[in-house]
Coordinates of all heavy atoms in Angstrom, one line a residue:
M1 N 13.7 22.2 1.8 CA 13.0 23.2 2.5 C 13.1 24.6 1.8 O 14.0 24.7 1.0 CB 13.5 23.3 4.0 CG 14.9 23.8 4.1 SD 15.3 23.7 5.9 CE 17.0 23.9 5.8
G2 N 12.2 25.5 2.1 CA 12.2 26.7 1.3 C 11.3 27.8 1.9 O 10.5 27.5 2.8
L3 N 11.4 28.9 1.2 CA 10.6 30.1 1.6 C 10.3 30.8 0.3 O 11.2 31.0 -0.5 CB 11.4 31.0 2.6 CG 10.7 32.3 2.9 CD1 9.5 32.1 3.8 CD2 11.8 33.2 3.6
T4 N 9.0 31.3 0.1 CA 8.7 32.0 -1.1 C 7.6 33.0 -0.8 O 6.7 32.7 0.0 CB 8.3 31.0 -2.2 OG1 8.1 31.8 -3.4 CG2 7.0 30.3 -1.9
P5 N 7.6 34.2 -1.4 CA 6.5 35.1 -1.2 C 5.3 34.6 -2.0 O 5.4 34.0 -3.1 CB 7.0 36.4 -1.8 CG 8.1 36.0 -2.8 CD 8.6 34.7 -2.2
A6 N 4.1 34.9 -1.5 CA 2.8 34.6 -2.2 C 2.2 35.8 -2.8 O 2.7 36.9 -2.5 CB 1.9 33.9 -1.2
W7 N 1.2 35.7 -3.6 CA 0.6 36.8 -4.3 C -0.4 37.6 -3.4 O -0.8 38.6 -3.8 CB -0.2 36.2 -5.5 CG 0.8 35.6 -6.4 CD1 1.2 34.3 -6.4 CD2 1.5 36.1 -7.5 NE1 2.1 34.0 -7.4 CE2 2.3 35.1 -8.1 CE3 1.4 37.4 -8.1 CZ2 3.0 35.4 -9.2 CZ3 2.2 37.6 -9.2 CH2 3.0 36.6 -9.8
D8 N -0.7 37.0 -2.2 CA -1.6 37.7 -1.3 C -1.0 38.4 -0.1 O -1.7 38.8 0.8 CB -2.6 36.7 -0.8 CG -2.0 35.6 0.0 OD1 -0.8 35.6 0.2 OD2 -2.7 34.7 0.5
G9 N 0.3 38.6 -0.2 CA 1.0 39.3 0.9 C 1.5 38.4 2.0 O 2.2 38.8 2.9
R10 N 1.3 37.1 1.9 CA 1.8 36.1 2.8 C 3.1 35.6 2.3 O 3.5 35.8 1.1 CB 0.9 34.9 3.0 CG -0.4 35.3 3.7 CD -1.2 34.0 4.0 NE -2.4 34.3 4.8 CZ -3.6 34.4 4.3 NH1 -3.8 34.2 3.0 NH2 -4.7 34.6 5.0
A11 N 3.9 34.9 3.1 CA 5.0 34.1 2.7 C 4.7 32.7 3.0 O 4.2 32.4 4.1 CB 6.3 34.6 3.3
W12 N 5.1 31.7 2.2 CA 4.9 30.3 2.4 C 6.3 29.7 2.8 O 7.3 30.2 2.2 CB 4.4 29.6 1.2 CG 2.9 29.7 1.0 CD1 2.3 30.8 0.4 CD2 1.9 28.8 1.3 NE1 1.0 30.6 0.3 CE2 0.7 29.3 0.9 CE3 1.9 27.6 2.0 CZ2 -0.5 28.7 1.1 CZ3 0.7 26.9 2.2 CH2 -0.5 27.5 1.8
F13 N 6.3 28.7 3.6 CA 7.6 28.1 4.0 C 7.3 26.6 4.1 O 6.2 26.1 4.3 CB 8.2 28.6 5.3 CG 7.3 28.4 6.5 CD1 7.5 27.2 7.3 CD2 6.4 29.3 6.9 CE1 6.7 27.0 8.4 CE2 5.6 29.1 8.1 CZ 5.8 27.9 8.8
A14 N 8.4 25.8 4.0 CA 8.4 24.4 4.2 C 9.7 24.0 4.9 O 10.7 24.5 4.5 CB 8.2 23.6 2.9
T15 N 9.6 23.2 5.9 CA 10.8 22.8 6.7 C 11.2 21.4 6.3 O 10.4 20.6 5.9 CB 10.6 22.9 8.2 OG1 9.8 21.9 8.6 CG2 10.1 24.3 8.6
S16 N 12.5 21.1 6.6 CA 13.0 19.7 6.3 C 12.2 18.7 7.2 O 12.2 17.5 6.8 CB 14.5 19.6 6.5 OG 14.8 20.0 7.8
G17 N 11.6 19.1 8.3 CA 10.9 18.3 9.2 C 9.4 18.0 8.7 O 8.7 17.4 9.4
G18 N 9.0 18.6 7.6 CA 7.7 18.4 7.1 C 6.6 19.4 7.5 O 5.5 19.1 7.3
V19 N 7.0 20.5 8.0 CA 6.1 21.5 8.4 C 5.9 22.5 7.2 O 6.9 22.9 6.6 CB 6.5 22.3 9.6 CG1 5.5 23.4 9.9 CG2 6.6 21.4 10.8
I20 N 4.7 22.7 6.8 CA 4.3 23.7 5.7 C 3.5 24.8 6.4 O 2.6 24.5 7.1 CB 3.6 23.0 4.6 CG1 4.4 21.9 4.0 CG2 3.2 24.0 3.5 CD1 3.6 21.0 3.0
G21 N 3.8 26.0 6.1 CA 3.1 27.1 6.7 C 3.1 28.4 5.9 O 3.7 28.5 4.9
T22 N 2.4 29.4 6.5 CA 2.3 30.7 6.0 C 2.7 31.7 7.1 O 2.5 31.4 8.3 CB 0.9 31.1 5.4 OG1 0.0 31.1 6.5 CG2 0.4 30.1 4.4
V23 N 3.2 32.8 6.6 CA 3.5 33.9 7.5 C 2.8 35.1 7.0 O 3.0 35.5 5.8 CB 5.0 34.2 7.7 CG1 5.2 35.4 8.6 CG2 5.7 33.0 8.2
D24 N 1.9 35.8 7.7 CA 1.3 37.0 7.3 C 2.3 38.1 7.5 O 2.8 38.4 8.6 CB 0.1 37.3 8.2 CG -0.7 38.6 7.7 OD1 0.0 39.6 7.5 OD2 -1.9 38.5 7.7
T25 N 2.8 38.7 6.4 CA 3.9 39.6 6.5 C 3.5 41.0 7.1 O 4.4 41.7 7.5 CB 4.5 39.9 5.1 OG1 3.5 40.4 4.2 CG2 5.1 38.6 4.5
G26 N 2.2 41.2 7.2 CA 1.8 42.4 7.9 C 1.7 42.3 9.4 O 2.0 43.2 10.1
T27 N 1.3 41.1 9.9 CA 1.1 40.9 11.3 C 2.1 40.0 12.0 O 2.2 40.0 13.2 CB -0.3 40.3 11.6 OG1 -0.4 39.0 11.0 CG2 -1.4 41.2 11.0
G28 N 2.8 39.2 11.1 CA 3.7 38.2 11.7 C 3.1 36.9 12.1 O 3.7 36.0 12.6
T29 N 1.7 36.8 11.9 CA 1.0 35.6 12.3 C 1.5 34.4 11.5 O 1.5 34.5 10.2 CB -0.5 35.8 12.1 OG1 -0.9 36.9 12.9 CG2 -1.3 34.5 12.6
V30 N 1.8 33.3 12.1 CA 2.2 32.1 11.5 C 1.1 31.0 11.6 O 0.6 30.8 12.7 CB 3.5 31.6 12.1 CG1 4.0 30.2 11.5 CG2 4.6 32.6 12.0
R31 N 0.8 30.3 10.5 CA -0.1 29.2 10.6 C 0.6 28.1 9.8 O 1.2 28.3 8.8 CB -1.4 29.5 9.8 CG -2.2 30.7 10.4 CD -3.0 30.3 11.6 NE -3.8 31.4 11.9 CZ -4.0 31.9 13.2 NH1 -3.3 31.3 14.1 NH2 -4.7 32.9 13.4
S32 N 0.5 26.8 10.4 CA 1.2 25.7 9.8 C 0.5 24.4 10.0 O -0.4 24.3 10.8 CB 2.6 25.6 10.3 OG 2.5 25.3 11.7
I33 N 0.9 23.4 9.2 CA 0.4 22.0 9.3 C 1.7 21.2 9.2 O 2.7 21.6 8.7 CB -0.6 21.6 8.2 CG1 0.0 21.8 6.8 CG2 -1.9 22.4 8.3 CD1 -0.8 21.2 5.7
S34 N 1.6 19.9 9.6 CA 2.7 19.0 9.5 C 2.3 17.9 8.6 O 1.2 17.3 8.8 CB 3.0 18.4 10.9 OG 4.1 17.5 10.8
T35 N 3.1 17.6 7.6 CA 2.9 16.5 6.7 C 3.5 15.2 7.2 O 3.1 14.1 6.8 CB 3.5 16.8 5.3 OG1 5.0 16.8 5.5 CG2 3.0 18.0 4.7
G36 N 4.5 15.3 8.1 CA 5.2 14.1 8.6 C 6.1 13.5 7.6 O 6.6 12.4 7.7
E37 N 6.4 14.3 6.5 CA 7.2 13.8 5.4 C 8.4 14.8 5.2 O 8.2 16.0 5.4 CB 6.4 13.8 4.1 CG 5.2 12.8 4.2 CD 4.3 12.9 3.0 OE1 4.6 13.7 2.0 OE2 3.3 12.3 3.0
D38 N 9.5 14.3 4.9 CA 10.7 15.1 4.7 C 10.6 16.0 3.5 O 10.3 15.5 2.4 CB 11.9 14.1 4.6 CG 13.3 14.8 4.7 OD1 13.3 15.9 5.3 OD2 14.2 14.3 4.1
V39 N 10.9 17.3 3.6 CA 10.9 18.2 2.5 C 12.3 18.5 2.2 O 13.0 19.1 3.0 CB 10.1 19.5 2.8 CG1 10.2 20.5 1.7 CG2 8.7 19.2 3.2
Q40 N 12.7 18.2 1.0 CA 14.1 18.5 0.5 C 14.1 19.2 -0.8 O 15.1 19.3 -1.5 CB 14.9 17.2 0.4 CG 15.2 16.5 1.7 CD 16.1 17.3 2.6 OE1 17.0 18.0 2.1 NE2 15.8 17.3 3.9
N41 N 12.9 19.6 -1.2 CA 12.7 20.3 -2.5 C 12.2 21.7 -2.3 O 11.8 22.1 -1.2 CB 11.8 19.5 -3.4 CG 12.3 18.2 -3.8 OD1 13.3 18.1 -4.5 ND2 11.7 17.1 -3.3
S42 N 12.1 22.5 -3.3 CA 11.7 23.9 -3.2 C 10.1 24.0 -3.0 O 9.4 23.1 -3.2 CB 12.1 24.7 -4.4 OG 11.5 24.2 -5.5
V43 N 9.8 25.2 -2.7 CA 8.4 25.6 -2.6 C 8.1 26.5 -3.8 O 8.9 27.4 -4.2 CB 8.1 26.4 -1.3 CG1 6.7 26.9 -1.2 CG2 8.5 25.6 -0.1
S44 N 6.9 26.4 -4.4 CA 6.6 27.2 -5.6 C 5.2 27.8 -5.5 O 4.3 27.1 -5.0 CB 6.7 26.2 -6.8 OG 6.4 26.9 -8.0
T45 N 5.0 29.0 -5.9 CA 3.7 29.6 -5.8 C 3.2 30.2 -7.1 O 4.0 30.6 -7.9 CB 3.7 30.8 -4.7 OG1 4.6 31.8 -5.1 CG2 4.0 30.3 -3.3
V46 N 1.9 30.2 -7.3 CA 1.2 30.9 -8.3 C 0.0 31.6 -7.6 O -0.3 31.2 -6.5 CB 0.8 30.0 -9.5 CG1 2.0 29.3 -10.2 CG2 -0.2 28.9 -9.0
P47 N -0.6 32.5 -8.3 CA -1.8 33.1 -7.6 C -2.8 32.1 -7.0 O -3.3 31.3 -7.8 CB -2.4 34.0 -8.6 CG -1.2 34.4 -9.5 CD -0.4 33.1 -9.6
G48 N -3.0 32.1 -5.7 CA -3.9 31.2 -5.1 C -3.5 29.8 -4.7 O -4.2 29.1 -4.0
R49 N -2.3 29.4 -5.1 CA -1.9 28.1 -4.9 C -0.4 28.0 -4.6 O 0.4 28.9 -5.1 CB -2.1 27.1 -6.1 CG -3.6 27.0 -6.5 CD -4.3 26.1 -5.5 NE -5.7 25.9 -5.9 CZ -6.7 26.6 -5.6 NH1 -6.6 27.7 -4.8 NH2 -7.9 26.3 -6.0
T50 N 0.0 27.0 -3.8 CA 1.4 26.7 -3.5 C 1.7 25.3 -3.7 O 0.8 24.4 -3.3 CB 1.8 27.2 -2.1 OG1 1.6 28.6 -2.0 CG2 3.2 26.9 -1.7
A51 N 2.8 24.9 -4.2 CA 3.2 23.5 -4.4 C 4.4 23.2 -3.5 O 5.4 24.0 -3.5 CB 3.5 23.2 -5.8
V52 N 4.4 22.1 -2.8 CA 5.5 21.6 -2.0 C 5.7 20.1 -2.3 O 4.7 19.3 -2.2 CB 5.3 21.8 -0.5 CG1 6.4 21.2 0.3 CG2 5.1 23.3 -0.2
T53 N 6.9 19.7 -2.6 CA 7.2 18.3 -2.9 C 8.0 17.8 -1.7 O 9.0 18.3 -1.3 CB 8.1 18.1 -4.2 OG1 7.4 18.7 -5.2 CG2 8.3 16.7 -4.5
T54 N 7.5 16.7 -1.1 CA 8.2 16.0 0.0 C 8.9 14.8 -0.6 O 8.8 14.6 -1.8 CB 7.2 15.6 1.1 OG1 6.4 14.5 0.6 CG2 6.3 16.7 1.5
D55 N 9.4 14.0 0.3 CA 10.1 12.7 -0.2 C 9.1 11.7 -0.7 O 9.4 10.7 -1.2 CB 11.0 12.2 0.9 CG 10.4 11.9 2.2 OD1 9.2 12.3 2.4 OD2 11.0 11.3 3.0
H56 N 7.8 11.9 -0.4 CA 6.7 11.0 -0.8 C 5.6 11.5 -1.7 O 4.9 10.8 -2.4 CB 6.0 10.4 0.4 CG 6.9 9.6 1.3 ND1 7.5 8.4 0.9 CD2 7.4 9.9 2.5 CE1 8.3 7.9 1.9 NE2 8.2 8.8 2.9
T57 N 5.4 12.9 -1.6 CA 4.2 13.4 -2.1 C 4.4 14.8 -2.7 O 5.1 15.6 -2.1 CB 3.1 13.5 -1.0 OG1 3.0 12.3 -0.4 CG2 1.7 13.9 -1.6
L58 N 3.7 15.1 -3.8 CA 3.5 16.5 -4.3 C 2.2 17.1 -3.7 O 1.2 16.5 -3.9 CB 3.5 16.6 -5.8 CG 3.2 17.9 -6.4 CD1 4.2 18.9 -6.1 CD2 3.0 17.8 -7.9
H59 N 2.3 18.1 -2.9 CA 1.2 18.7 -2.2 C 0.8 20.0 -3.0 O 1.7 20.9 -3.2 CB 1.5 19.1 -0.8 CG 1.8 18.0 0.1 ND1 0.8 17.3 0.8 CD2 2.9 17.3 0.4 CE1 1.4 16.3 1.5 NE2 2.7 16.3 1.2
L60 N -0.4 20.2 -3.4 CA -0.9 21.4 -3.9 C -1.8 22.1 -2.8 O -2.8 21.4 -2.3 CB -1.7 21.2 -5.2 CG -2.3 22.5 -5.8 CD1 -1.2 23.4 -6.3 CD2 -3.2 22.1 -7.0
L61 N -1.4 23.3 -2.4 CA -2.1 23.9 -1.2 C -2.7 25.2 -1.5 O -2.2 25.9 -2.5 CB -1.1 24.1 -0.1 CG -0.3 22.8 0.4 CD1 1.1 22.9 0.0 CD2 -0.5 22.6 1.8
S62 N -3.7 25.6 -0.7 CA -4.2 27.0 -0.7 C -4.2 27.4 0.7 O -3.8 26.6 1.6 CB -5.6 27.1 -1.3 OG -6.5 26.3 -0.6
A63 N -4.5 28.6 1.0 CA -4.6 29.1 2.4 C -6.0 29.4 2.8 O -6.8 30.0 2.0 CB -3.7 30.4 2.6
A64 N -6.4 29.0 4.0 CA -7.7 29.3 4.5 C -7.7 30.8 4.8 O -6.6 31.5 4.8 CB -8.0 28.6 5.8
P65 N -8.8 31.5 5.0 CA -8.9 32.9 5.3 C -7.9 33.4 6.4 O -7.3 34.4 6.3 CB -10.3 33.2 5.7 CG -11.1 32.2 4.9 CD -10.2 30.9 5.0
D66 N -7.7 32.5 7.4 CA -6.8 32.9 8.5 C -5.3 32.5 8.2 O -4.4 32.8 9.0 CB -7.2 32.2 9.8 CG -6.9 30.7 9.9 OD1 -6.6 30.1 8.8 OD2 -7.1 30.2 10.9
G67 N -5.1 32.0 7.0 CA -3.7 31.7 6.6 C -3.3 30.2 6.8 O -2.2 29.8 6.3
T68 N -4.1 29.4 7.4 CA -3.8 28.0 7.6 C -3.7 27.3 6.3 O -4.6 27.4 5.5 CB -4.8 27.3 8.6 OG1 -4.9 28.0 9.8 CG2 -4.5 25.9 8.8
P69 N -2.6 26.6 6.0 CA -2.5 25.8 4.8 C -3.6 24.7 4.7 O -3.9 24.1 5.7 CB -1.2 25.1 4.9 CG -0.4 26.0 5.8 CD -1.4 26.5 6.8
V70 N -4.2 24.6 3.5 CA -5.2 23.6 3.2 C -4.7 22.8 2.0 O -4.3 23.3 1.0 CB -6.5 24.3 2.8 CG1 -7.5 23.2 2.4 CG2 -7.1 25.1 3.9
V71 N -4.6 21.5 2.2 CA -4.1 20.6 1.1 C -5.3 20.4 0.2 O -6.3 19.8 0.5 CB -3.6 19.2 1.7 CG1 -3.2 18.3 0.5 CG2 -2.5 19.4 2.6
E72 N -5.1 20.9 -1.1 CA -6.1 20.7 -2.1 C -6.0 19.4 -2.8 O -7.0 18.8 -3.2 CB -6.1 21.9 -3.1 CG -6.2 23.2 -2.5 CD -7.7 23.5 -2.1 OE1 -8.6 22.9 -2.6 OE2 -7.9 24.4 -1.2
R73 N -4.8 19.0 -3.1 CA -4.5 17.8 -3.8 C -3.2 17.2 -3.4 O -2.3 17.9 -3.0 CB -4.4 18.0 -5.3 CG -5.7 18.3 -6.0 CD -5.6 18.3 -7.5 NE -6.8 18.7 -8.1 CZ -7.7 17.8 -8.5 NH1 -7.5 16.6 -8.4 NH2 -8.8 18.3 -9.1
R74 N -3.1 15.9 -3.5 CA -1.8 15.2 -3.2 C -1.6 14.2 -4.3 O -2.5 13.5 -4.8 CB -1.9 14.4 -1.9 CG -2.1 15.3 -0.7 CD -2.2 14.4 0.6 NE -0.9 13.8 0.7 CZ -0.7 12.8 1.5 NH1 -1.6 12.3 2.3 NH2 0.5 12.2 1.5
A75 N -0.3 14.0 -4.7 CA 0.0 13.1 -5.7 C 1.3 12.4 -5.3 O 2.3 13.0 -4.9 CB 0.3 13.7 -7.1
P76 N 1.3 11.0 -5.3 CA 2.6 10.3 -4.9 C 3.7 10.7 -5.9 O 3.5 11.0 -7.0 CB 2.2 8.8 -5.1 CG 0.7 8.8 -5.4 CD 0.3 10.2 -5.8
T77 N 4.9 10.6 -5.3 CA 6.1 10.9 -6.1 C 7.1 9.8 -6.1 O 7.0 8.9 -5.2 CB 6.8 12.2 -5.6 OG1 7.3 11.9 -4.3 CG2 6.0 13.4 -5.7
T78 N 7.9 9.8 -7.1 CA 9.0 8.8 -7.1 C 10.3 9.5 -7.4 O 10.4 10.2 -8.4 CB 8.8 7.7 -8.3 OG1 8.7 8.4 -9.5 CG2 7.5 6.9 -8.0
G79 N 11.2 9.5 -6.4 CA 12.5 10.2 -6.6 C 12.3 11.7 -6.8 O 13.1 12.3 -7.5
G80 N 11.3 12.3 -6.1 CA 11.1 13.7 -6.2 C 10.4 14.2 -7.5 O 10.2 15.4 -7.7
R81 N 9.9 13.2 -8.3 CA 9.2 13.6 -9.5 C 7.8 13.0 -9.4 O 7.6 11.9 -8.9 CB 9.8 13.0 -10.8 CG 11.2 13.6 -11.0 CD 11.7 13.2 -12.3 NE 13.1 13.8 -12.5 CZ 14.1 13.2 -12.9 NH1 14.0 11.9 -13.2 NH2 15.3 13.8 -13.0
P82 N 6.8 13.7 -9.9 CA 5.4 13.2 -9.8 C 5.3 11.9 -10.5 O 5.8 11.7 -11.6 CB 4.6 14.3 -10.5 CG 5.4 15.5 -10.5 CD 6.8 15.1 -10.5
A83 N 4.6 10.9 -9.9 CA 4.4 9.6 -10.5 C 3.3 9.7 -11.6 O 3.2 8.9 -12.5 CB 4.0 8.6 -9.5
S84 N 2.3 10.7 -11.4 CA 1.3 10.9 -12.4 C 0.9 12.4 -12.4 O 1.2 13.1 -11.4 CB 0.1 10.0 -12.0 OG -0.4 10.4 -10.7
P85 N 0.3 12.8 -13.5 CA 0.0 14.3 -13.5 C -1.0 14.7 -12.5 O -1.9 13.9 -12.1 CB -0.7 14.4 -14.9 CG -0.2 13.2 -15.7 CD 0.0 12.1 -14.7
V86 N -0.9 15.9 -12.0 CA -1.8 16.5 -11.0 C -2.7 17.4 -11.8 O -2.2 18.3 -12.5 CB -1.1 17.2 -9.9 CG1 -2.1 17.9 -9.0 CG2 -0.2 16.3 -9.2
S87 N -4.0 17.3 -11.7 CA -4.9 18.2 -12.4 C -5.9 18.8 -11.5 O -6.0 18.5 -10.3 CB -5.6 17.5 -13.5 OG -6.3 16.4 -13.1

């Protein structure tokens, strides 16, 4: 699980229970989705995208205008490492 600031003023988080979300640091508004997968790895951000690795999948996400996480791509993982490149 983890927490990281984003480039747009939000913060991204992932919980061990599989919830991935954003927090608007100006208003405190929280938006989230549930993957149903265990998150034991870190959260990583670059401008416009966030990556979260669960026990099954590497998720590449962006945020909808209201901050709700949107899964852009998913790639299966093996042992916490991508099984194939994500492009």
Side-chain angles (χ1 to χ4, degrees):
M1 63 186 171
L3 173 71
T4 187
W7 298 85
D8 61 2
R10 293 184 175 104
W12 281 83
F13 66 89
T15 71
S16 59
V19 176
I20 299 171
T22 66
V23 179
D24 184 314
T25 58
T27 65
T29 302
V30 176
R31 302 279 189 227
S32 64
I33 60 172
S34 177
T35 65
E37 300 170 4
D38 191 29
V39 177
Q40 294 296 322
N41 295 296
S42 63
V43 179
S44 181
T45 61
V46 297
R49 300 286 184 267
T50 295
V52 176
T53 304
T54 71
D55 56 349
H56 297 291
T57 309
L58 171 63
H59 296 268
L60 181 63
L61 305 110
S62 62
D66 71 351
T68 302
V70 176
V71 177
E72 300 288 337
R73 292 188 181 266
R74 297 181 61 194
T77 62
T78 56
R81 296 191 180 132
S84 61
V86 177
S87 56

